[in-house]
Amino acid sequence: RKEVEQDPGPFNVPEGATVAFNCTYSNSASQSFFWYRQDCRKEPKLLMSVYSSGNEDGRFTAQLNRASQYISLLIRDSKLSDSATYLCVVNTGSYIPTFGRGTSLIVHP
Amino acid sequence: DTAVSQTPKYLVTQMGNDKSIKCEQNLGHDTMYWYKQDSKKFLKIMFSYNNKELIINETVPNRFSPKSPDKAHLNLHINSLELGDSAVYFCASSQGDELYIQYFGAGTRLSVL
């Protein structure tokens, strides 16, 4: 099993839709979790950290499920500008951040 | 001012050549990284330096040699380029106990012909 797994998608949704992605991790000792966003032909940028209690930033909500070893990202009221690849990053307890392969989101009019 | 800048942005070269990519960060961070993102978009760490000292060296051919003259700079030299080296190379930096909050450069798109 890969350390960090994501469904590559693409998730194709209309504007205004709610969409959710999951990211599963294999190391139960993983300590911290993050979502990054990468636009086409651009660099990854931190979107949000994922806290144990869950956290929300505007239309974006991140959740952690330690029992099932996954994190999720929920986007409400999708905008065209949300189209991007969403990468999850897991701290597996080493200096090496482990990136998932990313989930591609396409929001269409 | 760009926080993490890398040059060149594009690099097209022939197999067998030697090339370098430069990276500089003005964030005052003490840790810098090189990542490779292949055609399948998989982002994989290659090296990490903390205060000019190598702390991570993943399974990377020794044709790749990083150099950190100071904690604000991390350069990547590649010898004897191969077709499989074609990828986007990202430099990144982070600070202290927030290692996983990383700031990336815009990437260098390397094409080996």
Side-chain angles (χ1 to χ4, degrees):
Chain A
R1 182 180 175 186
K2 290 181 183 165
E3 285 193 84
V4 178
E5 290 199 68
Q6 295 183 253
D7 180 346
F11 284 62
N12 217 313
V13 303
E15 271 188 291
T18 296
V19 62
F21 320 126
N22 286 343
C23 167
T24 58
Y25 60 94
S26 59
N27 187 338
S28 59
S30 297
Q31 298 163 14
S32 50
F33 310 87
F34 305 85
W35 284 104
Y36 278 71
R37 170 192 169 132
Q38 185 174 22
D39 292 313
C40 187
R41 299 182 69 78
K42 299 284 190 182
E43 71 273 23
K45 291 183 179 176
L46 179 69
L47 179 66
M48 56 199 305
S49 303
V50 185
Y51 304 126
S52 298
S53 54
N55 48 306
E56 190 172 309
D57 182 3
R59 297 180 294 107
F60 297 82
T61 301
Q63 298 274 2
L64 166 63
N65 186 318
R66 282 199 186 273
S68 301
Q69 292 183 207
Y70 73 88
I71 62 171
S72 63
L73 178 67
L74 179 81
I75 306 175
R76 288 182 298 279
D77 188 24
S78 299
K79 311 289 184 196
L80 296 176
S81 57
D82 294 334
S83 298
T85 297
Y86 292 85
L87 305 163
C88 72
V89 179
V90 176
N91 170 358
T92 55
S94 71
Y95 283 107
I96 304 174
T98 305
F99 281 78
R101 286 182 179 269
T103 296
S104 175
L105 172 66
I106 301 170
V107 182
H108 58 83
Chain B
D1 278 348
T2 305
V4 181
S5 59
Q6 45 182 119
T7 54
K9 194 165 183 177
Y10 299 96
L11 192 47
V12 181
T13 189
Q14 301 283 340
M15 266 199 320
N17 283 351
D18 302 338
K19 290 292 178 186
S20 291
I21 308 172
K22 295 186 175 182
C23 180
E24 175 181 3
Q25 54 96 3
N26 62 8
L27 297 167
H29 289 168
D30 50 20
T31 306
M32 295 184 71
Y33 311 80
W34 278 111
Y35 287 87
K36 178 180 179 180
Q37 189 169 45
D38 60 25
S39 56
K40 294 183 179 175
K41 308 300 182 189
F42 187 39
L43 193 65
K44 189 166 168 53
I45 194 166
M46 301 172 69
F47 302 101
S48 175
Y49 271 71
N50 180 270
N51 279 320
K52 303 191 300 175
E53 299 293 325
L54 179 67
I55 56 170
I56 297 171
N57 181 355
E58 286 295 276
T59 308
V60 176
N62 57 15
R63 298 182 295 103
F64 290 79
S65 51
K67 280 195 171 50
S68 182
D70 56 62
K71 73 173 198 176
H73 295 84
L74 180 62
N75 303 322
L76 183 65
H77 187 76
I78 317 170
N79 288 327
S80 304
L81 278 155
E82 300 178 357
L83 293 177
D85 297 333
S86 296
V88 182
Y89 292 84
F90 287 102
C91 176
S93 71
S94 65
Q95 177 63 26
D97 57 1
E98 294 186 327
L99 281 179
Y100 293 85
I101 297 178
Q102 305 207 346
Y103 295 79
F104 285 80
T108 296
R109 281 156 183 80
L110 172 64
S111 296
V112 182
L113 307 177

